[in-house]
């Protein structure tokens, strides 16, 4: 695991409830492409079900990170959602993998659509590994 410093609220910045404003680290940078709610056969998981899609997305992130990292190494998550009403499901799935005291920096973006209309969300991750 890399040495990471999480700063939930730098001086003069309002505290964040669901993410850290800043995460500092040194080491090797890892970028994980946006993950969708697809199983290992490329089939959609959870048609119309934000909670099921979020669980699959985070499972796919976990599998991608397993190539050399873990969720403990994640410094930034970016959420792309077709409806902000899906964010509670995203946060619940994230909580299954990342405890509140290790929250990465994050951005949530509402988008008009993703690569296919049945996808409700996509999540990408950035991690830092020891040098």
């Amino acid at each position: 695991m890399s040495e990471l410093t999480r700063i939930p609220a730098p001086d003069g910045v309002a505290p964040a409830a669901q993410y850290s404003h800043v995460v500092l680290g040194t080491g090797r940078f890892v970028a994980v492409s946006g993950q969708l709610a697809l199983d290992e056969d490329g089939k959609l998981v959870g048609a119309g079900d934000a909670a099921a899609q979020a669980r699959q997305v985070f499972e796919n992130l976990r599998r991608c990170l397993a190539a050399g990292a873990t969720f403990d190494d994640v410094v930034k998550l970016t959420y792309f959602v077709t409806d902000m009403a899906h964010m509670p499901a995203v946060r619940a799935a994230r909580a299954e993998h990342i405890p509140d005291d290790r929250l990465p920096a994050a951005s949530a973006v509402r988008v008009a659509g993703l690569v296919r209309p049945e996808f409700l969300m996509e999540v990408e991750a950035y991690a830092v590994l020891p040098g």
Side-chain angles (χ1 to χ4, degrees):
M1 179 172 38
S2 60
E3 291 293 324
L4 300 176
T5 302
R6 290 171 174 78
I7 304 171
D11 290 342
V13 177
Q18 295 293 326
Y19 59 93
S20 297
H21 276 290
V22 178
V23 180
L24 304 169
T26 58
R28 294 180 298 142
F29 181 75
V30 177
V32 178
S33 293
Q35 296 298 303
L36 298 162
L38 295 172
D39 66 14
E40 63 249 15
D41 296 321
K43 294 186 177 134
L44 174 68
V45 172
D49 182 342
Q53 286 199 22
R55 285 190 302 272
Q56 184 63 45
V57 164
F58 273 86
E59 178 58 18
N60 290 347
L61 286 169
R62 185 193 66 75
R63 289 176 179 170
C64 289
L65 287 166
T70 71
F71 277 107
D72 284 339
D73 302 308
V74 172
V75 296
K76 175 80 184 331
L77 292 170
T78 305
Y79 313 109
F80 302 96
V81 294
T82 57
D83 187 330
M84 292 308 283
H86 301 322
M87 286 305 298
V90 170
R91 288 187 197 106
R94 183 200 62 211
E96 294 176 17
H97 297 277
I98 303 173
D100 285 347
D101 66 341
R102 303 207 41 87
L103 292 174
S107 298
V109 182
R110 184 176 59 86
V111 295
L114 294 164
V115 68
R116 292 191 340 224
E118 62 267 29
F119 294 123
L120 303 177
M121 68 199 62
E122 182 173 337
V123 181
E124 64 184 21
Y126 298 97
V128 175
L129 301 176

